[in-house]
Amino acid sequence: MKAYLDNGATTMVDPDVVEVMMPYFSIKYGNAGSLHGLGKDAGDAVRKARATIAEAINADPDEIIFTSGGTESDNIALKEAAFANQGKGNHIITTKIEHPAVLETCRFLETMGFSVTYLDVDKEGFVDVEAFRRALRPETILASVMHANNEIGTIEPISEIGSICREKGIIFHTDAVQSFTKVPIDTKAMNIDLMSLSAHKIHGPKGTGALFVRKGTKLGTLMHGGGQEKRLRSGTENVPGIVGFAKAVEIAAKSHEHIARMTGLRDRLGSGLLAIPGSSLNGAEPESGKRLCNNINVSFKYVEGEAMLVHLDLAGVAVSTGSACSQKSLKPSHVLLAIGMARKDSHGTLRLTLSRFTTEEEVDYTVEALKGIVEKLREMSPLNKETIKGYDDIDLKKRGR
Amino acid sequence: MDYTQKVIDAFKSPKNMGEISDADAVGKVGNPVCGDLMWLYLKIRRNRDGRDYIYDVKAKTFGCVAAIATSSVMTELIKGKTIDEAEKIKKDDIIKVLGGLPEQKVHCSLLAIEALEDAIRKWKLENKKNIELNKKNKRAN
């Protein structure tokens, strides 16, 4: 038995998506910018794809810029909005739980003379709209708040933040990589100016994404060259990727049934895991309706995440962890720290993310496997039933190494 | 993480895990904040040459794959060794048995070495006390 519960990292490309992409590699391989028939075929395909994606977010087709993915979209959005509008001010507002593509770009902008406010979140990961309002300054030009968090699945109040930004004339960017096709997005109703999207999180191909740019949003150019994508992002269009991206959106938009199914499986997984002693859920309560339909993030006391992950992998189950020991930096997840988790508890955290292909069997198998693994690891851990009491009093002195 | 098959094997079925209720020394090192913790139990006896050796060893480890694998290998390396020999074991000896560790995981192997050092230090301290106690008792007699 195998179970893939790491769809927050990437998803299987839908076979129907692969099928529509194939002709654009070796049959309809033209450059979308060429004037001949092959080029026209490619150009038409890109145009059609743009319209499909625009429709899914209530935008106009010429507000969609194709990119290489979420990271590039975040980079273009933040850097180019910041540089193009620095005449108006130098202040940017974001949150402590953004994806590194946003956080690291903000840190870079700080070195370029911008001032960035990183908003706190509460213990469920929500940004406080009033705190956002208080962070505003006369020189605020840009705000970036993610739609849904990639680690804990919390869905942020971006409509409220969008309307504040609109009222104050601030450019509002949201990273919707995790939420796209899972939570309804209406760029007009939500007052979004810039939005990052990615194909490979929704059963499309890797290396393809998009940036929504509301008409009239002042942006500079990151990639100079042949002037593709309204001169914002030069480079020959990745036609197979774009076609696949649109097909993935089309399939997801066609049926809302899969969201209800995923929600049901998520809750089945959540209650199964939370029945394991010493476990707790991180992020928004599932009943709140403010948690991604495919995300469960659970901490298990007295066991370490990487050890659980590798045992699960050996059992055929793929998940991810927020444990410091799994990171090259050996730092715990910034999201877990931002929701106020103690470092010693952050080590035993797993993220399990479903897709519309996830089955009940996969969920049940994972719960059973993890039960045994947690038990086994706790058995060999000095932090067992008898010593748990001492856990909270353990000397917090760092070992000198 | 790029672990060797030997690391995965040692992690999957670690040797000498558990406790010794009447251990002669227990080494306790690590910190849950760093994400690893190890308790090492030693049973020490004297061999025919009059040397103290590790007759039995058990360990309890909380930590990542590397921490558990290195704990297991360390217990195997010291079992049956004299205290003098066990003291000479370094982290590189453990890493060698495992066929290497990812660079950022090398420090994890220190956990096992520190547990061993702590246990031996405690045993020596206890031993010294006992010797002095014996001397005192002899004098008193």
Side-chain angles (χ1 to χ4, degrees):
Chain A
M1 176 90 198
K2 282 197 180 293
Y4 183 75
L5 296 180
D6 201 14
N7 290 282
T10 195
T11 58
M12 176 188 89
V13 182
D14 188 321
D16 291 344
V17 168
V18 177
E19 200 185 312
V20 301
M21 289 173 70
M22 290 313 283
Y24 292 93
F25 286 105
S26 39
I27 302 167
K28 304 178 185 179
Y29 51 81
N31 184 322
S34 297
L35 298 177
H36 45 65
L38 270 182
K40 196 179 162 297
D41 282 351
D44 285 346
V46 170
R47 228 180 332 276
K48 219 180 116 211
R50 211 184 293 280
T52 303
I53 291 164
E55 199 193 325
I57 56 171
N58 191 21
D60 294 336
D62 60 359
E63 292 177 316
I64 304 296
I65 303 298
F66 286 114
T67 68
S68 66
T71 293
E72 188 191 328
S73 296
D74 286 341
N75 269 266
I76 296 179
L78 297 181
K79 286 179 196 166
E80 298 316 317
F83 290 130
N85 294 278
Q86 58 187 337
K88 290 187 197 161
N90 73 338
H91 181 231
I92 299 165
I93 302 174
T94 188
T95 79
K96 286 187 178 161
I97 60 163
E98 296 298 313
H99 188 275
V102 167
L103 287 178
E104 292 304 316
T105 304
C106 284
R107 281 181 198 124
F108 163 74
L109 287 168
E110 282 182 288
T111 68
M112 303 299 287
F114 291 91
S115 162
V116 182
T117 300
Y118 299 90
L119 291 174
D120 286 319
V121 294
D122 67 15
K123 63 181 193 335
E124 289 185 277
F126 289 110
V127 174
D128 178 9
V129 176
E130 285 316 304
F132 180 87
R133 211 186 275 278
R134 284 195 298 274
L136 291 167
R137 299 181 197 162
E139 63 273 22
T140 307
I141 51 168
L142 173 65
S144 180
V145 177
M146 70 199 323
H147 190 195
N149 183 266
N150 49 313
E151 290 186 36
I152 55 173
T154 304
I155 300 169
E156 299 297 341
I158 63 163
S159 272
E160 287 90 326
I161 290 168
S163 65
I164 295 171
C165 289
R166 178 55 45 86
E167 178 196 318
K168 304 279 179 192
I170 294 161
I171 298 173
F172 177 50
H173 167 254
T174 187
D175 179 325
V177 164
Q178 292 287 340
S179 61
F180 186 37
T181 72
K182 295 187 183 73
V183 185
I185 296 174
D186 182 326
T187 58
K188 292 190 172 75
M190 293 165 128
N191 289 305
I192 298 164
D193 296 313
L194 300 166
M195 178 166 65
S196 305
L197 304 173
S198 168
H200 78 104
K201 309 283 193 192
I202 61 163
H203 306 289
K206 293 168 184 64
T208 307
L211 177 66
F212 158 78
V213 183
R214 174 181 297 283
K215 265 178 217 153
T217 307
K218 200 174 158 194
L219 279 196
T221 300
L222 187 75
M223 205 71 84
H224 295 88
Q228 289 91 342
E229 300 300 296
K230 293 177 72 191
R231 309 196 73 82
L232 281 174
R233 203 267 188 184
S234 287
T236 299
E237 292 85 349
N238 171 7
V239 182
I242 289 168
V243 167
F245 186 11
K247 184 67 182 176
V249 172
E250 190 191 305
I251 296 170
K254 224 175 2 194
S255 151
H256 289 287
E257 199 187 301
H258 69 266
I259 293 182
R261 233 192 103 253
M262 263 191 275
T263 308
L265 287 178
R266 174 199 71 183
D267 294 343
R268 187 183 180 93
L269 177 65
S271 50
L273 296 181
L274 292 171
I276 298 173
S279 60
S280 53
L281 185 75
N282 305 309
E285 285 302 325
E287 306 81 55
S288 67
K290 289 175 179 169
R291 183 179 191 111
L292 280 180
C293 61
N294 72 330
N295 173 292
I296 283 288
N297 187 305
V298 187
S299 291
F300 297 92
K301 280 197 165 184
Y302 327 120
V303 280
E304 195 279 323
E306 191 208 38
M308 282 189 281
L309 183 148
V310 173
H311 267 308
L312 279 171
D313 191 27
L314 292 168
V317 181
V319 302
S320 63
T321 172
S323 168
C325 302
S326 67
Q327 318 295 322
K328 288 213 159 122
S329 60
L330 299 177
K331 280 185 189 146
S333 143
H334 66 287
V335 176
L336 299 178
L337 295 182
I339 60 172
M341 191 181 287
R343 272 169 195 267
K344 69 174 160 63
D345 294 327
S346 70
H347 298 293
T349 298
L350 292 182
R351 178 189 75 168
L352 303 98
T353 39
L354 291 69
S355 84
R356 67 167 183 268
F357 293 101
T358 305
T359 64
E360 200 172 289
E361 289 72 31
E362 283 181 289
V363 166
D364 293 349
Y365 175 71
T366 301
V367 170
E368 275 316 302
L370 197 51
K371 256 186 214 166
I373 289 165
V374 169
E375 207 170 296
K376 181 180 163 143
L377 288 172
R378 281 185 183 160
E379 227 161 73
M380 67 170 79
S381 166
L383 299 166
N384 57 28
K385 282 184 223 94
E386 293 81 42
T387 56
I388 276 169
K389 207 177 149 280
Y391 178 70
D392 295 314
D393 319 314
I394 280 168
D395 182 14
L396 296 185
K397 231 170 33 194
K398 278 208 171 166
R399 207 166 48 247
R401 65 179 202 211
Chain B
M1 207 61 71
D2 224 355
Y3 288 123
T4 64
Q5 191 57 44
K6 282 177 181 162
V7 173
I8 295 296
D9 291 344
F11 164 71
K12 204 176 167 185
S13 328
K15 302 287 189 303
N16 304 314
M17 284 288 144
E19 315 177 25
I20 300 174
S21 54
D22 60 340
D24 295 310
V26 183
K28 293 186 178 185
V29 295
N31 187 325
V33 178
C34 305
D36 55 13
L37 207 60
M38 181 175 183
W39 293 1
L40 181 71
Y41 302 82
L42 298 182
K43 192 81 196 148
I44 293 164
R45 288 197 179 166
R46 190 155 288 177
N47 66 16
R48 274 185 234 146
D49 307 332
R51 287 176 144 178
D52 296 312
Y53 76 104
I54 297 166
Y55 167 76
D56 197 11
V57 50
K58 290 267 190 274
K60 288 214 143 193
T61 301
F62 157 75
C64 66
V65 173
I68 291 172
T70 52
S71 298
S72 168
V73 168
M74 187 272 281
T75 62
E76 287 186 291
L77 283 177
I78 64 168
K79 200 166 180 174
K81 294 264 188 338
T82 65
I83 297 296
D84 296 344
E85 287 165 342
E87 277 184 312
K88 290 196 184 89
I89 292 170
K90 296 278 169 285
K91 76 173 192 323
D92 292 341
D93 300 315
I94 298 175
I95 294 171
K96 206 170 145 193
V97 173
L98 290 169
L101 274 178
E103 204 189 319
Q104 70 269 31
K105 291 287 184 178
V106 167
H107 78 108
C108 299
S109 58
L110 277 171
L111 183 75
I113 294 296
E114 285 170 3
L116 178 62
E117 285 169 356
D118 190 51
I120 293 178
R121 187 181 56 78
K122 283 176 180 160
W123 176 77
K124 281 184 174 168
L125 215 64
E126 196 60 31
N127 218 24
K128 210 173 145 192
K129 267 192 224 155
N130 287 341
I131 290 167
E132 277 164 13
L133 206 68
N134 281 345
K135 275 185 193 162
K136 255 188 219 164
N137 287 346
K138 270 183 193 166
R139 261 182 242 133
N141 288 340

